[in-house]
Amino acid sequence: LLDTIESAKDKFTADELKLLRQGGEKIREIERTLAAIEAKFPDAAPKAPGNGDSIPADSPTTPGDSDKTQKFPAFEGKDLNGNTVKSDDLFSKNAVTVVNFWFTTCNPCVGELAELDALNKELAEKGGALIGVNTFTLGGDEAAISEAKDVLAKKGVTYQNVYFDSDGEAGKFTANIFAYPTYVVDRNGNIVGDPIVGAITETKQAEALQAQIDKALSADKG
């Protein structure tokens, strides 16, 4: 939906485009909430006809290839202070990188920022890091960047937040996310396990995230 809006943005006034974008993001927030409910109550998840459980659109695997390795899509972007950030450099310097997708008006996303900042500090002691990707800032939207920086400052967040072009590999990957997940990425840029859907403040999500982090750190040590 958001891709469709962006592709036709020249047909709308600034106010119309803002309203459409907000509506699209609200739909995504609803989908995030539904995904969290399904994660907590697996029996509530819809079944794919004749094919078992459905696979989340943001899952890095497909039925039968749960061990298949997927690279996090490459990007060359910037952080919210305008510094250049390249994914290859970012991942290769860390034993593990946790990537958290969020957006400014997502209450659950904003609600876990303090916990994410604490996690980043823990990871730093182990040679890792956490980064945020605020989807409103993709493409370098100055107003969105300003709003994101304001929210992060109010929450006392110190970890790096980055953005990249919407039409690049990572931008297209982001457009296909129907819930706002957290990914664990190893030094080689490989996604470790399935995305963590739902707030990391919840016990189940926190335990799953920590297990993936431990797996990446262990593999990095060889």
Side-chain angles (χ1 to χ4, degrees), residues 47-218:
K47 305 291 182 180
N51 202 24
D53 291 347
S54 62
I55 302 299
D58 54 334
S59 172
T61 59
T62 54
D65 68 348
S66 58
D67 294 327
K68 182 179 178 181
T69 299
Q70 182 191 12
K71 289 277 189 181
F72 192 92
F75 64 85
E76 180 173 344
K78 293 183 178 182
D79 65 20
L80 300 189
N81 292 319
N83 301 305
T84 299
V85 179
K86 297 181 180 180
S87 57
D88 288 345
D89 296 338
L90 176 68
F91 297 140
S92 64
K93 73 179 182 181
N94 295 320
V96 61
T97 304
V98 174
V99 184
N100 174 256
F101 286 90
W102 69 291
F103 61 97
T104 314
T105 55
C106 169
N107 290 331
C109 305
V110 174
E112 66 180 357
L113 290 176
E115 284 77 11
L116 290 169
D117 195 66
L119 176 59
N120 178 57
K121 291 180 171 66
E122 292 176 13
L123 290 173
E125 297 177 357
K126 302 174 182 178
L130 184 144
I131 64 168
V133 179
N134 182 303
T135 58
F136 282 2
T137 65
L138 297 192
D141 186 299
E142 292 183 5
I145 290 172
S146 178
E147 290 175 358
K149 290 175 71 172
D150 184 56
V151 170
L152 293 168
K154 288 178 179 178
K155 290 290 184 177
V157 171
T158 59
Y159 61 83
Q160 191 176 42
N161 271 254
V162 306
Y163 66 86
F164 32 77
D165 289 337
S166 300
D167 56 357
E169 184 181 353
K172 292 175 181 177
F173 174 84
T174 304
N176 287 324
I177 291 176
F178 293 100
Y180 278 70
T182 299
Y183 285 90
V184 175
V185 183
D186 68 16
R187 192 185 296 274
N188 297 314
N190 298 315
I191 294 174
V192 180
D194 292 332
I196 307 298
V197 178
I200 65 157
T201 51
E202 297 295 329
T203 302
K204 182 179 179 180
Q205 281 78 2
E207 291 176 349
L209 178 57
Q210 190 59 55
Q212 291 183 5
I213 290 172
D214 291 343
K215 180 179 179 180
L217 289 173
S218 177

